[in-house]
Amino acid sequence: MTTKPATAQQTAPRPLGCLPGSLDVPQVQTAIRLLTHDGQPLAAFDERDRCISAGAYLDPRHETGEIVLEFLTEHRPTAGREELDAERVRVTTEYADLFRVAGWTVQEFRERDHTGRERLARLILTPPAPTARERMTAALAEYGITARIDSDAGNSWLAVPVTGSDFPGVGTPQLIAHVDEADEVWVFVDTPRAGTWQIRFNNGTAEVVVHRCDADADPANATAAAAQFIAAFRAAWNS
């Protein structure tokens, strides 16, 4: 009888760029995708939580939805403190530019180094607000309803099929969902701006407003109410 030689116990892969408990945080996932798409490395750690590969480290603030982003350097005996500090400032500045371009709100946190000089140490990031389209698409998905964005002359709206799941075509009964504001002449769903949800029914030849949310309603509640109306309208139409 032969026995297999003993092998060293394998260490489970550790997540890059954040602690294991932060992997499922949506804003962390979005930030990691942004960093990796830009070619920015993520910090890696050994089983003792020592940084073994320099890169970005993300720490979410669950109460506020913010993320603290810091550049961690691996221990390099030949590198002096001044060199490491300069590297941290340079890379952190690159992070700030990257997230600002992507529409995130970026706060710079500074601290004093060993010489008493203030240096950029880390960033506090707030993800961009979802657009009206993203909010409504998510709300409709809870009812199994899909919608298609359409636009013309600077206006944008969502077209929702009244029957089935195929996107409605010209001359087909459909619901039109968009946001408008009292002081604007255009309608939209592709910006983060808040406004009043309005639902119109188009029977293929004419269009009429069938639902309008309270202008003073919370945007999340207004979106949920509009999605509920759409689901009820479709159910009644197909009953």
Side-chain angles (χ1 to χ4, degrees), residues 1 29 44 54 63 66 71 73 83 92 95 102 107 112 117 130 154 157 174 182 189 201 204 207 210:
M1 179 178 178
Q29 295 175 346
E63 298 82 5
E66 299 169 330
F71 174 68
T73 57
E83 179 183 347
T92 305
Y95 292 161
Q107 294 178 265
R112 296 188 183 277
R117 182 191 311 170
W157 60 89
Q174 57 186 279
V189 290
F201 173 63
E207 196 168 283
V210 291

Side-chain angles (χ1 to χ4, degrees), residues 149-236:
I149 188 170
D150 205 350
S151 62
D152 181 57
N155 297 286
S156 62
W157 60 89
L158 289 171
V160 184
V162 173
T163 59
S165 58
D166 294 334
F167 291 128
V170 177
T172 304
Q174 57 186 279
L175 291 168
I176 304 298
H178 62 77
V179 177
D180 62 3
E181 295 180 335
D183 58 344
E184 299 286 353
V185 296
W186 56 287
V187 300
F188 59 91
V189 290
D190 54 357
T191 76
R193 298 174 61 187
T196 302
W197 275 107
Q198 185 177 114
I199 311 299
R200 302 179 181 221
F201 173 63
N202 188 316
N203 65 5
T205 58
E207 196 168 283
V208 61
V209 176
V210 291
H211 177 78
R212 180 187 289 273
C213 291
D214 183 353
D216 297 324
D218 174 79
N221 293 336
T223 302
Q228 184 180 36
F229 175 85
I230 290 172
F233 188 100
R234 280 169 46 94

Side-chain angles (χ1 to χ4, degrees), residues 82-163:
E82 187 69 23
E83 179 183 347
L84 294 176
D85 286 344
E87 182 182 15
R88 179 193 299 177
V89 171
R90 176 183 60 79
V91 177
T92 305
T93 301
E94 292 178 2
Y95 292 161
D97 293 340
L98 172 65
F99 280 89
R100 284 195 179 101
V101 169
W104 291 56
T105 300
V106 179
Q107 294 178 265
E108 298 183 353
F109 182 84
R110 299 176 181 274
E111 60 185 19
R112 296 188 183 277
D113 62 15
H114 64 287
T115 67
R117 182 191 311 170
E118 276 198 350
R119 292 182 185 265
L120 177 61
R122 60 188 65 89
L123 305 173
I124 302 174
L125 306 173
T126 303
T131 64
R133 174 184 59 81
E134 291 169 331
R135 295 196 305 269
M136 180 58 77
T137 299
L140 289 174
E142 296 184 9
Y143 297 96
I145 301 172
T146 56
R148 181 186 65 185
I149 188 170
D150 205 350
S151 62
D152 181 57
N155 297 286
S156 62
W157 60 89
L158 289 171
V160 184
V162 173
T163 59

